[in-house]
Amino acid sequence: MSLWVDKYRPNNLQKLDFHCKQANHLRNLLKEGDFPHLLFYGPSGAGKKTRIMALLKELYGPGVERLRMEHMSFLVAIDEMNILEDLTGFTRTGFSLRTRGMPVAESETDENITEYRVEELKNTVEAAVTEKKEEVKAELPPPLPQSPPPTEVPPPTPTPVEEKKEEPKKEEVAVPESIAHQESISLSFYFTSQYSITVIILNETDHLTREAQQALRRTMEKYITTCRLILCANSMSQVIPAIRSRCLCIRIPAPTHEEIVSVLTNICKKEGLTIPPEFALRLAQQSDRNLRRAILMCEASKVQQYPFQIDQQIVEPDWKIYIRDTAKLIISEQSPKKLLEVRTRLYELLVHSIPVNVLFKYLLEGLLANCDSDLKSKSIEMAAMFEHRIHKGSKPIFHIEAYVASFMAMYLQFMEDTLSNLF
Ligand SMILES: Nc1ncnc2c1ncn2[C@@H]1O[C@H](COP(=O)(O)OP(=O)(O)OP(=O)(O)O)[C@@H](O)[C@H]1O
């Protein structure tokens, strides 16, 4: 049994429920059978990946659904065991790179990671394009003719991707033996190969370091004849101009409340349920125009209570409640002890893969909801500064914590001033 978000994810361009005009443009783009490098950008839950998959399906047919995730093993050099523990969560790479407790020498953390990411990115893309090309080509069925001859029926060929699925391959990049400690990490990326073009989908391109993006730029140029990159990003401001200019940028705006209501109504109809429009609208409003969140909340609400009531309580995600409680903690007491407690909670959220920008946004929201109106503008100004530092720096936790400490100091000062004015 799958979740509604997966079960009712439209799988071709015709079935897309909103931004239909844009879907038509994409179809026109594909008429030639080829396309430039693409960069899809827009807020989370707007339907970027759904569109990418629908686009590939339009181009290559149903086989593309068996797109797979490839795991590659890399050996990472580690000099010492004075280790940074907090690398266990998300790292700022564009791949779904997750470390298995990967230790890194503290003194050289940033450079090591940057260098490693650049190499890793280049190796991965190049391996996918060059080494795998021959192998993939050999296994692929002949390309579908534009207008198939009426008499000839092509012989059934085994689907290549299915074959590969049975034996996932691992590659290892050797590192010098002199290095004392080595750990293997798993790098995941998606790629599909059809005909002569390898299509590589890179998620979270905006989380790549600048160096990695530069490397990607060169790779894009080098393999322009054999490879198409489909990049996916939440924010364009973090993508370097060189990458932007090499791609056709496609903006996927967040769906409107009405569009979300219509998607929810359709899903409920398919499930044989009735959803009051007022309740669907409340779900849309609470989801912050994130369609995935709205569908998940709708399903959770159905489990909690059906038939739906207009004023039914909407089940919120745990992490959202946890962030709100963290904000309340900050307001409740401003002391080093509380700061430590908040720090632990922030780490907890990060290791559970809550994106930094989401964490920061909801934390600020929670603080603003609880603080005096005089403090609001200052808090927002301060938050903007620390958010900028998060993007510029490499360790978001430092900056979030610094923000919390600064907010505490400002709040404490404000309370003292208010009290002294009273007496
Ligand atoms: N056009 C659509 N019609 C109906 N449902 C949709 C549509 N587009 C997306 N969805 C639903 O919304 C969910 C989220 O979409 P998707 O994963 O494509 O968003 P995204 O923009 O890639 O999000 P993120 O950036 O967070 O990964 C999908 O699981 C799907 O169920």
Side-chain angles (χ1 to χ4, degrees):
M1 203 184 81
S2 52
L3 290 170
W4 291 356
V5 275
D6 297 321
K7 197 169 163 190
Y8 297 109
R9 186 193 282 266
N11 54 10
N12 65 47
L13 289 174
Q14 286 93 332
K15 283 193 194 158
L16 293 176
D17 296 2
F18 54 90
H19 307 329
C20 300
K21 210 169 155 189
Q22 189 193 57
N24 272 337
H25 290 160
L26 287 176
R27 251 203 312 277
N28 290 339
L29 178 78
L30 298 180
K31 272 191 182 144
E32 300 297 317
D34 195 5
F35 57 91
H37 297 306
L38 299 176
L39 170 54
F40 285 81
Y41 68 100
S44 179
K48 297 182 292 297
K49 274 167 222 110
T50 306
R51 242 148 255 261
I52 291 172
M53 291 311 297
L55 183 137
L56 290 180
K57 192 173 175 194
E58 182 86 16
L59 193 64
Y60 297 130
V64 82
E65 273 174 10
R66 286 183 287 267
L67 195 81
R68 71 205 159 89
M69 198 171 169
E70 175 143 320
H71 289 276
M72 301 177 91
S73 252
F74 291 86
L75 287 176
V76 183
I78 295 136
D79 293 338
E80 294 172 28
M81 292 303 279
N82 57 341
I83 285 166
L84 267 191
E85 297 284 351
D86 60 349
L87 247 172
T88 47
F90 240 19
T91 64
R92 285 163 62 82
T93 72
F95 301 105
S96 311
L97 172 67
R98 282 167 206 272
T99 59
R100 288 196 227 122
M102 182 181 80
V104 171
E106 186 155 10
S107 53
E108 299 163 329
T109 307
D110 282 356
E111 294 94 275
N112 277 355
I113 293 172
T114 304
E115 210 173 276
Y116 166 65
R117 280 183 204 141
V118 174
E119 273 312 305
E120 173 194 295
L121 180 66
K122 275 165 68 180
N123 289 345
T124 311
V125 175
E126 288 184 13
V129 178
T130 53
E131 289 168 30
K132 295 199 183 298
K133 205 179 101 190
E134 294 309 315
E135 171 200 334
V136 166
K137 251 186 176 175
E139 292 176 2
L140 281 167
L144 289 174
Q146 287 293 327
S147 49
T151 48
E152 265 184 35
V153 180
T157 44
T159 318
V161 193
E162 261 177 8
E163 280 178 18
K164 281 187 198 168
K165 242 182 172 178
E166 286 163 22
E167 357 174 323
K169 286 173 189 145
K170 291 202 163 188
E171 291 187 9
E172 290 200 341
V173 178
V175 291
E177 280 176 16
S178 58
I179 295 164
H181 306 283
Q182 296 177 350
E183 288 267 330
S184 119
I185 65 156
S186 162
L187 167 71
S188 310
F189 79 107
Y190 299 90
F191 92 98
T192 179
S193 300
Q194 298 276 336
Y195 319 122
S196 57
I197 297 176
T198 302
V199 178
I200 299 176
I201 304 169
L202 283 182
N203 288 324
E204 296 181 3
T205 306
D206 47 344
H207 286 196
L208 282 171
T209 57
R210 289 193 164 251
E211 293 80 359
Q213 290 190 36
Q214 293 290 355
L216 185 61
R217 183 191 73 160
R218 283 191 288 277
T219 310
M220 283 165 98
E221 277 168 0
K222 196 169 164 190
Y223 297 104
I224 185 70
T225 48
T226 50
C227 165
R228 294 289 175 277
L229 282 169
I230 300 187
L231 309 178
C232 193
N234 283 344
S235 158
M236 276 292 260
S237 62
Q238 299 302 310
V239 181
I240 60 169
I243 296 263
R244 280 189 248 163
S245 64
R246 279 165 179 78
C247 296
L248 176 66
C249 301
I250 300 171
R251 180 169 169 262
I252 312 290
T256 61
H257 288 153
E258 291 71 31
E259 284 164 345
I260 295 181
V261 169
S262 137
V263 171
L264 293 180
T265 315
N266 280 341
I267 290 178
C268 287
K269 212 162 138 191
K270 285 178 197 156
E271 283 287 312
L273 312 171
T274 330
I275 183 166
E278 295 84 352
F279 181 59
L281 185 62
R282 278 183 58 217
L283 285 170
Q285 284 162 347
Q286 283 229 13
S287 70
D288 294 331
R289 293 174 65 194
N290 181 326
L291 185 55
R292 183 190 297 111
R293 202 174 293 155
I295 300 174
L296 285 171
M297 287 198 299
C298 184
E299 191 170 0
S301 303
K302 187 248 158 186
V303 174
Q304 198 192 39
Q305 180 184 339
Y306 188 78
F308 293 121
Q309 300 294 323
I310 295 175
D311 55 355
Q312 179 176 334
Q313 197 201 347
I314 294 173
V315 185
E316 276 191 284
D318 285 349
W319 58 265
K320 234 173 149 181
I321 300 169
Y322 197 73
I323 297 177
R324 211 168 35 229
D325 291 346
T326 309
K328 281 183 191 155
L329 267 186
I330 297 170
I331 300 284
S332 70
E333 187 188 319
Q334 297 76 41
S335 64
K337 189 173 152 246
K338 234 355 137 208
L339 186 59
L340 265 181
E341 211 177 305
V342 170
R343 180 190 207 204
T344 316
R345 293 175 74 96
L346 294 175
Y347 267 99
E348 187 90 351
L349 286 159
L350 288 175
V351 294
H352 283 93
S353 301
I354 303 299
V356 178
N357 54 343
V358 173
L359 193 169
F360 202 66
K361 181 183 160 207
Y362 285 103
L363 186 68
L364 178 64
E365 239 178 63
L367 292 174
L368 293 183
N370 287 296
C371 74
D372 195 277
S373 56
D374 284 359
L375 272 183
K376 282 186 180 164
S377 58
K378 278 188 199 158
S379 308
I380 294 171
E381 196 182 328
M382 202 188 265
M385 185 180 83
F386 282 99
E387 196 189 21
H388 179 70
R389 287 185 187 174
I390 287 175
H391 290 309
K392 290 282 160 208
S394 58
K395 299 213 74 36
I397 184 72
F398 291 167
H399 305 291
I400 306 179
E401 213 183 325
Y403 172 68
V404 173
S406 311
F407 180 88
M408 280 184 169
M410 186 176 72
Y411 193 84
L412 205 59
Q413 185 66 48
F414 175 79
M415 294 306 275
E416 280 172 8
D417 291 350
T418 316
L419 285 177
S420 61
N421 285 345
L422 276 178
F423 301 108

